């Protein structure tokens, strides 16, 4: 990949990491419902989506380093 493409992918991964955090919080609070099993499902799904954030941040960091190295 060209350095410009890596930089673009790095920025995209950074935005997706923050979106994952916001989405996780939104899922946790908005998908709850009244039943205990529905609340438990919303909590687990929110945590699952929140676990994507570190992966996106690591990808962003690596792609940024490769972009600077190739430039």
């Amino acid at each position: 990949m060209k350095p410009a493409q890596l930089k673009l992918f790095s920025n995209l991964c950074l935005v997706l990491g923050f979106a994952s955090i916001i989405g996780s919080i939104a899922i946790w609070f908005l998908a709850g419902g009244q039943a205990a099993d529905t609340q438990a499902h919303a909590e687990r799904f929110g945590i699952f989506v929140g676990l994507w954030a570190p992966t996106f941040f690591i990808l962003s960091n690596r792609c940024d380093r490769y972009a600077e190295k190739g430039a």
Side-chain angles (χ1 to χ4, degrees):
M1 287 180 107
K2 296 178 183 177
Q5 290 173 328
L6 283 171
K7 193 69 170 169
L8 179 66
F9 187 68
S10 171
N11 291 336
L12 176 66
C13 286
L14 185 66
V15 169
L16 288 174
F18 284 114
S20 174
I21 293 170
I22 293 168
S24 173
I25 294 169
I27 289 169
W28 197 337
F29 285 115
L30 299 177
Q34 295 298 327
D37 60 337
T38 312
Q39 289 177 345
H41 174 71
E43 182 178 334
R44 286 190 302 266
F45 189 58
I47 291 171
F48 174 71
V49 171
L51 289 174
W52 299 345
T55 303
F56 285 130
F57 290 142
I58 291 169
L59 281 172
S60 175
N61 186 0
R62 291 295 179 187
C63 289
D64 189 47
R65 286 185 183 182
Y66 287 138
E68 289 178 2
K69 189 176 181 182

